[in-house]
Protein backbone atom coordinates (compact mmCIF):
# COMPACT_ATOMS: atom_id res chain seq x y z
CA UNK A 1 0.00 0.00 0.00
CA UNK A 2 1.57 3.31 -1.07
CA UNK A 3 0.29 6.88 -0.87
CA UNK A 4 1.84 9.94 -2.53
CA UNK A 5 0.88 13.52 -1.81
CA UNK A 6 2.18 16.73 -3.53
CA UNK A 7 1.17 20.32 -2.87
CA UNK A 8 2.31 23.87 -3.82
CA UNK A 9 2.02 26.89 -1.61
CA UNK A 10 2.69 30.61 -2.24
CA UNK A 11 4.44 30.93 1.08
CA UNK A 12 7.88 29.48 1.31
CA UNK A 13 7.64 28.50 4.95
CA UNK A 14 10.71 27.59 7.03
CA UNK A 15 12.49 25.75 4.23
CA UNK A 16 11.97 28.43 1.61
CA UNK A 17 10.43 25.94 -0.81
CA UNK A 18 6.95 26.40 -2.21
CA UNK A 19 6.59 22.71 -2.96
CA UNK A 20 5.65 20.22 -0.29
CA UNK A 21 5.47 16.55 -0.98
CA UNK A 22 5.06 13.38 1.03
CA UNK A 23 5.39 9.68 0.17
CA UNK A 24 3.93 7.03 2.53
CA UNK A 25 4.46 3.34 2.24
CA UNK A 26 2.30 1.00 4.33
CA UNK A 27 1.76 -2.70 4.66
CA UNK A 28 -0.90 -4.73 6.47
CA UNK A 29 -0.91 -8.35 7.35
CA UNK A 30 -2.81 -10.45 9.85
CA UNK A 31 -0.58 -12.26 12.29
CA UNK A 32 -3.26 -14.54 13.74
CA UNK A 33 -5.59 -15.14 10.86
CA UNK A 34 -8.50 -17.33 12.04
CA UNK A 35 -7.17 -17.52 15.60
CA UNK A 36 -10.61 -16.95 17.09
CA UNK A 37 -12.15 -19.49 14.75
CA UNK A 38 -9.51 -22.05 15.63
CA UNK A 39 -10.04 -21.46 19.35
CA UNK A 40 -13.82 -21.70 18.90
CA UNK A 41 -13.41 -24.93 16.92
CA UNK A 42 -11.19 -26.44 19.62
CA UNK A 43 -13.67 -25.38 22.29
CA UNK A 44 -16.60 -26.96 20.43
CA UNK A 45 -14.57 -30.10 19.80
CA UNK A 46 -13.80 -30.30 23.52
CA UNK A 47 -17.47 -29.83 24.39
CA UNK A 48 -18.45 -32.62 21.99
CA UNK A 49 -15.89 -34.94 23.55
CA UNK A 50 -17.15 -34.10 27.04
CA UNK A 51 -20.71 -34.87 25.93
CA UNK A 52 -19.58 -38.20 24.47
CA UNK A 53 -17.77 -39.10 27.70
CA UNK A 54 -20.84 -38.16 29.75
CA UNK A 55 -23.03 -40.29 27.48
CA UNK A 56 -20.65 -43.25 27.89
CA UNK A 57 -20.67 -42.71 31.66
CA UNK A 58 -24.47 -42.69 31.75
CA UNK A 59 -24.65 -45.85 29.65
CA UNK A 60 -22.16 -47.53 31.99
CA UNK A 61 -24.17 -46.44 35.05
CA UNK A 62 -27.40 -47.71 33.49
CA UNK A 63 -25.82 -51.06 32.69
CA UNK A 64 -24.56 -51.34 36.27
CA UNK A 65 -27.99 -50.42 37.62
CA UNK A 66 -29.67 -53.06 35.45
CA UNK A 67 -27.12 -55.69 36.53
CA UNK A 68 -27.56 -54.80 40.20
CA UNK A 69 -31.34 -54.90 39.92
CA UNK A 70 -31.16 -58.23 38.09
CA UNK A 71 -29.01 -59.71 40.87
CA UNK A 72 -31.46 -58.40 43.49
CA UNK A 73 -34.40 -59.84 41.55
CA UNK A 74 -32.72 -63.26 41.37
CA UNK A 75 -32.01 -63.13 45.11
CA UNK A 76 -35.64 -62.26 45.84
CA UNK A 77 -36.72 -65.09 43.55
CA UNK A 78 -34.60 -67.53 45.60
CA UNK A 79 -36.08 -66.05 48.79
CA UNK A 80 -39.59 -66.67 47.45
CA UNK A 81 -38.69 -70.27 46.63
CA UNK A 82 -37.30 -70.79 50.12
CA UNK A 83 -40.33 -69.13 51.74
CA UNK A 84 -42.66 -71.39 49.74
CA UNK A 85 -40.71 -74.45 50.85
CA UNK A 86 -40.86 -73.28 54.47
CA UNK A 87 -44.61 -72.66 54.18
CA UNK A 88 -45.07 -76.11 52.69
CA UNK A 89 -43.05 -77.68 55.51
CA UNK A 90 -45.03 -75.69 58.09
CA UNK A 91 -48.27 -76.89 56.48
CA UNK A 92 -47.09 -80.52 56.61
CA UNK A 93 -45.92 -80.06 60.19
CA UNK A 94 -49.28 -78.56 61.18
CA UNK A 95 -51.16 -81.47 59.58
CA UNK A 96 -48.98 -84.01 61.38
CA UNK A 97 -49.37 -82.25 64.72
CA UNK A 98 -53.13 -81.96 64.19
CA UNK A 99 -53.34 -85.72 63.58
CA UNK A 100 -51.23 -86.36 66.67
CA UNK A 101 -53.48 -84.06 68.69
CA UNK A 102 -56.57 -85.89 67.39
CA UNK A 103 -54.95 -89.15 68.47
CA UNK A 104 -54.30 -87.63 71.91
CA UNK A 105 -50.52 -87.91 71.69
CA UNK A 106 -49.69 -84.20 72.11
CA UNK A 107 -51.21 -81.17 73.81
CA UNK A 108 -53.07 -78.22 72.33
CA UNK A 109 -50.06 -75.99 73.05
CA UNK A 110 -48.04 -77.78 70.38
CA UNK A 111 -50.96 -77.43 67.95
CA UNK A 112 -51.08 -73.72 68.75
CA UNK A 113 -47.32 -73.42 68.13
CA UNK A 114 -47.62 -75.25 64.81
CA UNK A 115 -50.54 -73.04 63.82
CA UNK A 116 -48.55 -69.93 64.72
CA UNK A 117 -45.55 -71.19 62.75
CA UNK A 118 -47.78 -71.91 59.75
CA UNK A 119 -49.32 -68.42 59.84
CA UNK A 120 -45.89 -66.85 60.21
CA UNK A 121 -44.47 -68.79 57.27
CA UNK A 122 -47.44 -67.80 55.10
CA UNK A 123 -46.93 -64.14 55.99
CA UNK A 124 -43.22 -64.40 55.21
CA UNK A 125 -44.08 -66.04 51.90
CA UNK A 126 -46.40 -63.15 50.99
CA UNK A 127 -43.78 -60.60 52.09
CA UNK A 128 -41.03 -62.30 50.04
CA UNK A 129 -43.37 -62.46 47.05
CA UNK A 130 -44.06 -58.72 47.34
CA UNK A 131 -40.31 -58.01 47.52
CA UNK A 132 -39.82 -60.14 44.42
CA UNK A 133 -42.60 -58.33 42.53
CA UNK A 134 -41.12 -54.99 43.55
CA UNK A 135 -37.66 -56.06 42.38
CA UNK A 136 -39.11 -57.15 39.01
CA UNK A 137 -40.74 -53.73 38.59
CA UNK A 138 -37.49 -52.01 39.58
CA UNK A 139 -35.58 -54.11 37.04
CA UNK A 140 -38.09 -53.34 34.31
CA UNK A 141 -37.92 -49.64 35.13
CA UNK A 142 -34.11 -49.58 35.07
CA UNK A 143 -34.13 -51.52 31.78
CA UNK A 144 -36.61 -49.06 30.29
CA UNK A 145 -39.42 -51.60 29.93
CA UNK A 146 -41.66 -50.30 32.71
CA UNK A 147 -44.94 -48.77 31.56
CA UNK A 148 -46.80 -47.03 34.39
CA UNK A 149 -49.77 -46.35 32.09
CA UNK A 150 -50.38 -50.09 31.73
CA UNK A 151 -51.16 -50.28 35.47
CA UNK A 152 -53.84 -47.61 35.30
CA UNK A 153 -55.86 -49.37 32.59
Amino acid sequence: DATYSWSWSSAGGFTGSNVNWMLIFGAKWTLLQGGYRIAEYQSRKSQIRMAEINAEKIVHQLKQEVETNYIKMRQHQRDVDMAEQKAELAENNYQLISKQFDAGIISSLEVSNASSELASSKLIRVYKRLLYDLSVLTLEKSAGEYNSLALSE
Side-chain angles (χ1 to χ4, degrees):
D1 192 18
T3 304
Y4 173 75
S5 175
W6 181 86
S7 64
W8 183 86
S9 169
S10 60
F14 293 117
T15 62
S17 172
N18 293 349
V19 177
N20 187 13
W21 63 274
M22 183 179 4
L23 181 62
I24 301 173
F25 287 103
K28 285 191 218 177
W29 68 91
T30 306
L31 293 176
L32 301 173
Q33 185 167 355
Y36 178 74
R37 284 186 286 159
I38 291 171
E40 186 70 22
Y41 171 76
Q42 293 296 337
S43 175
R44 299 285 186 210
K45 190 175 174 182
S46 176
Q47 289 173 352
I48 290 170
R49 183 65 185 136
M50 285 173 45
E52 288 172 349
I53 289 171
N54 284 338
E56 289 173 7
K57 182 180 173 184
I58 289 170
V59 167
H60 180 70
Q61 287 173 342
L62 289 174
K63 283 181 180 179
Q64 278 187 319
E65 184 179 344
V66 169
E67 283 182 32
T68 301
N69 289 333
Y70 178 76
I71 290 168
K72 285 181 182 178
M73 187 267 309
R74 294 290 294 165
Q75 179 62 44
H76 288 301
Q77 187 178 31
R78 285 190 292 273
D79 291 347
V80 166
D81 292 342
M82 288 176 53
E84 286 180 357
Q85 289 175 357
K86 278 187 171 183
E88 191 176 312
L89 288 174
E91 179 73 35
N92 290 340
N93 186 40
Y94 177 74
Q95 289 175 358
L96 287 174
I97 288 181
S98 293
K99 288 179 184 178
Q100 289 176 352
F101 176 74
D102 291 341
I105 300 173
I106 57 172
S107 69
S108 63
L109 179 63
E110 287 150 345
V111 174
S112 177
N113 286 342
S115 175
S116 172
E117 185 179 326
L118 176 60
S120 174
S121 67
K122 285 182 178 181
L123 283 174
I124 290 173
R125 179 177 61 188
V126 169
Y127 175 72
K128 295 294 184 178
R129 181 64 192 191
L130 288 173
L131 285 178
Y132 170 73
D133 290 343
L134 183 62
S135 67
V136 168
L137 288 174
T138 304
L139 176 62
E140 287 176 353
K141 184 176 180 183
S142 65
E145 296 176 3
Y146 176 72
N147 183 1
S148 62
L149 296 177
L151 296 176
S152 64
E153 293 178 355

